[in-house]
Every structure is written in C-alpha cells, then in structure tokens.
Amino acid sequence: MPRKVNCGIDYDDGYDDDFDDYDYGYDVEENVKEPSLQDTIKRGVWRCSVCTYDNDDTMSSCDICGILRSPSVSNGTYDEKRTAPFKFDVPSPDDLVSNGLHSSAQHSKGKDKHGGIIFSKNLEINPSSGFKASDKSSASMAKGRVEDSDGRSVSNNLCSSGQSSSSLMPKERTDMVEDGSSLTHGGEGYLTSNLKNMTLGAKSGNSKDIKANSRAQYKPEKWMFPEKAEGSLTQLNLAIVGHVDSGKSTLSGRLLHLLGRISQKEMHKYEKESKLQGKGSFAYAWALDESAEERERGVTMTVAVTYLDSKRYHVVVLDSPGHKDFVPNMITGATPADAAILVIDASIGSFEAGMDGTKGQTREHAQLIRSFGVDQIIVAVNKMDAVEYSKDRFDLIKSQLGTFLRSCDFKDSSVTWIPLSAVENQNLVVAPSDVRLSWYHGPYLLDAIDSFQPSSRDFSKPLLMPICDVIKSSQGQVSACGKLEAGAVRSGSKVLVMPSADIATVRSLERDSQTCSIARAGDNVAINLHGIDGNHVIAGGVLCHPDFPVAFARHLELKVLVLDGATPILMGSQLEFYAHHAKEAARVARISLLLDSKTGKVTKKAPRCIVAKQSAVIELVLQESICIEMFSKCKALGRVFLRTLGRTVAVGVVTRIVEELV
Ligand code: GTP
Ligand code: MG
C-alpha cells in the first residue's frame, strides 16, 4: 500500500525570524584567550585534549582514552588534512547495528496496490556512467543486511557515498560564500534557547554570492502559483513518530481503514494473514509494514508513505520506524514533514521506556521533528485501553512529556494532547464512545489534524526538489520522487538534475498515483524524466531550475547544537552527516567557535571539544560532495543532523559552504 522511503532542520518561527537578524561579525567576549599550542604540546609529546595524558609524538591517538590526535597539532594545514585519505570509523559488528552503516543489498519496489508508490531503496550504479562502481551512494541509502541488537539479520541503510564528484562536476572553485543563522541553548530548555540565541556572523568580507544575486532576479511565471480552486485540498505532510511499538503503524492503518483508503476486503486479508503468522495484533500495521521482514519482526523499518483526506487537507502520511536501529531512516523519511503526530504508548512501563534518556526514542524523535522545522504536533496518547482510559495516567504523561517538549521549543499552544486507542477505535475520526473517556472534552484525532496551520510554501523561488527516491521501470523510464521545497514544475519543463548536472525534460507528473499536470512547492510527487541516463538520477540528488543549480560541496561550516547526553565532539571526530535525503560520512575539520548557550555570543575561539548542550560553529569535511544549500537560502536543504554510534549527537544548520564545486 504505501510507498516506502528512506528519506533534514527548520527551527521555530523565532529562530527563522532571528535568522534574518544575524550579525555579520561574531561578538567575541573580552578575555577570551586563544589556545596556544604550548597549552597542548610539550616537546616530543602531545597532550590529549580529553584526558590530558601526554602521548608520545608518534601516536596518532591517545594511548589512554583512544581519542584521535587533534589535527591542528598533528596534521599541519587544513589542506593537507583535506587531501588525506578519508577514514570512516571501522565499526564493530555492534556499531554496525546501531549505526546502520553496513550493507549492500539493493532492492526496489513497484507501485503498491493502494495507490501509494513504493520507492526503490537504492540506486543502480553504473560504473561506466561516471559514478564509482560501488554499492555506496551518498544519497541512495542502500538497504542492506546488518544484524540488529537482537543478533538478527535486518535491512538497514547504508551511509556513504559512491559518487565521483570529479567525474560529474567541473572543478571550478567559487568565491567563499557567507551566511549566518541562529540556533538555540542548554539546561532545561536548552534546545529552545540555543536555537534562538545563537547568532551567527560568518564572514568573509570580500565574498560574492553570485547565486544569491541571480536568485533574487528569478521571475516566477503565473502558472507557478496555485489558483485557489474551490474544494481543492491543501497538502499536509504529516510524520507519525514515536518510540518503537507505540502503535504508529496501527494508528495509521486504522485511520486509512476508517477513511476508506483500505477496503474491507483488504482489511480481512491483513487480518487473516497476520493471524496465520501469529501476529494478529499487527493486522492494521500490516497495511503500512509491507515487507516480509517488517511483518515477521513486527517492526517498521523504513518510512511508509500513504495518503488520506481530511476535511481540509490532503494528508501525506509518513509512518516512521520507532526502533532505534532505524532512526536514520526516520530522519531521511520524515524530514519533509509539515506537522507530526507523536505517538505515546500509555501502558505502564512503556511510556517510561520511551522517555528513557539512553534507550527511549520518544525524546530523540521529538527533538528530531522539532529540528525538521515542525512546530505543530499532536501528542497521541495511544493504548489508553491498556490503562482503563485513566485520566490520571494521561495527566501524568502530559505533565512529564510536556516539560520535555517545552525544552525542545514546542509552544504549549502548538501541542494538542489526545487520549485514544487505535485498536479500540476511540477518539480517532469521531468523538470517543467509551464512557471511560467521558472526562475528555477536546478534539478527536482527525479534527485535530484539520486544526493544523498550513505551512507556507516557496512558490516564488526557483525549483528545488530533493530526491528521496528513484523509480526505474523495466522500459527504462526513470522517475524522481520527493517533495518540492520551492518553485513549480509541469509537463515539458526542463529541469537540472544534480549532482550530475544533466538537463532532463519532465515527461509526466504523478501525485498520489494520479497523473497531474503541475506540481508546486509542498507537493509530494513522482516526476517522470526523459532525456537523461537513469543512473544519473539518484536519491539525495536535487532537481533544480536549470539556471539555479543547488550547491554541490563537501566542506561546510555549520552552526550546531550538541544534544543532551551526547558524547563530546572533537576535532577529527568521525560522524554520520544527514541533510535532506543525503547521508555522508564526515570528519570534524575545525571547531571554530564556542557560543554562549544563552546569548549566542562567542565565548571561546578554537575550543578543543564541544560537549552536550553546547553550541558551536564547526567545519565539516564530507567523504564525498553532496547537494546542499545554506540554511538562509533553503531551510530544507540547509538543515543537518550529526549522528554517531547509533545516536543523534547534534542538530544544526549550514551557515557557509566553504568550498563549492560548480
Ligand atoms: P514500530 O513502527 O516498529 O516503531 O512500531 P509501531 O509504533 O508502528 O507499533 P505497531 O503499530 O506495530 O504496534 C505495536 C503493537 O502495539 C501491536 O501489537 C499493536 O496491536 C499494539 N497496539 C497498537 N495500538 C494499540 C492500542 O490502541 N491498544 C493496544 N492495547 N495495543 C495497541
Ligand atoms: Mg510501525
């Protein structure tokens, strides 16, 4: 039924607004002392920045704690470092599980029977096409086989790149471009204040941002703007997120069934088949979890995309995996969300497990969706049947989780709390019938979905569509799928396919399996292209207006916020980098500035490391170039997530593209 995808950070209004007000120079606090190499080096030894042990000069990592030697001490200039072979963490089998990094198997799926499109999980890479003959693709996110924490073999995403930037792009260097933005800070509410208070003044006085100027000259045509046709529904991309087994897929399946998107016959089939496999309770989830492996394990592994209509919206449902091994898939699949339903399992012990700082995904998902730019959510307190629809239990959950959501910068007024039961169909599309819920007087779920505010769309900007998946037909046709972040396309439009920089023509467009003639910002579509080698269309790539190419780069300046509980980030740290539908291995090349978590002012230049709840300006070098944009130019393409060892350690925005290939 659904199309399955592997698919970025938009901050709150305040953040976005603040962004325009950024300083063009960092405020450096007085008495901030530049670290001198003397602080760290004695003759013949180098001092570990973490445990301060004096290591022999020949050691490349600390003999005591294993931390990599600071590149500024050991590797000389940045350029030398940049050309040094990139080293990705050699993971242990356990790391592979938690990181989701190992794999190669590819598979693609066709159309599903309910109208959704099931996207291919990986790009077929043709060695002769200019791509490296590799099972890795920066964006293709190949699914592969890894062992999960239970020791079972599971599919997962591959994170790495197989594109050869040199063979694809002319090697012309542009002037440095500059930008700024603001993030927030620490403590209870640290995320909020960090994102709001970090003011950035990335600078390069002689910089010239050619693309920004030409973008300003872009003149959209009349057809690119929607006509408010009577009865037409606005599209809402709705992510369903939450801890594993909280009932996300069951809730999504139930809604689809209640709204007629799953027929009675199909539902009977799911019930029968799931019972036969001893998984009767997963009947509704089977509508979304449609791979054999997902059904056998009873766990969603990749984001399922399906559709339903409410009174006001054409809702694109993004049912995300909750298992910690599949957070990368949740990030890449749910990033285009306009709004979200955070599903909570109300059962005793289960809510608590989800809130666990190290093992629970409730907090991580909440932080991530906030970082996607989602500021309006419904908290669906599910499985209320398991707690006798207890008001006390609901109130306790609301109180504990509410405090955390406030710390993530969700305003109370943008959070709707709904007690419900997906299995017993209580409070979903009509008011609850169970008398035990008579204490609840708020909206039911579908009503609350209709209360979301429509997102603003960039109709007047040049086309940008990050490609989340690619469908290739046996007849050689190729379709790029994703959400238009800006601009519009129609049949016959010429588009620039990045990073191959090929021009293709739009043959046709499909939205929700229906052919349509025009797609505009906000729409989720499959764009059938002709005049291009299918191997040059890759997930993680971007469709652009031919005159306004997206940047293609591997050296970026970011403003990041290190999340609560994260391990310290050091110079040389190897991380997984996520932006829109692209993933890439990355190395921290520089920690330029530490910012005050409350004021956003620079408190220290060149700190040795950044720890949980700290904000900083850092430079990252990716293993391979990716399509990326500064946050100021395109929020969806300028939000980033950094992960390591199976955990999201930082969220941030691209503030400068240090070196761009055009
Ligand atoms: P992942 O995608 O793997 O994170 O799981 P999920 O959140 O999609 O949960 P799923 O829908 O697969 O359901 C997990 C289990 O919870 C199934 O056995 C469901 O029957 C059960 N479940 C879902 N909703 C309810 C509910 O309202 N009440 C009760 N009692 N059980 C429920
Ligand atoms: Mg699920």
Side-chain angles (χ1 to χ4, degrees), residues 186 247 255 260 265 292 336 356 360 375 393 426 449 512 523 562 581 610 617 627:
L255 278 175
K265 195 172 155 206
D356 184 286
D375 57 5
R393 181 69 178 161
Q426 291 297 319
I449 292 173
D512 190 6
D523 289 345
V562 183
H581 307 296
I610 40 174
V617 176
C627 295

Side-chain angles (χ1 to χ4, degrees), residues 45 156 362 391 461 505 526 575 603 628:
V45 296
N156 206 344
T362 302
K391 181 175 184 310
K461 290 190 180 165
T505 307
L575 301 166
T603 56
I628 196 79

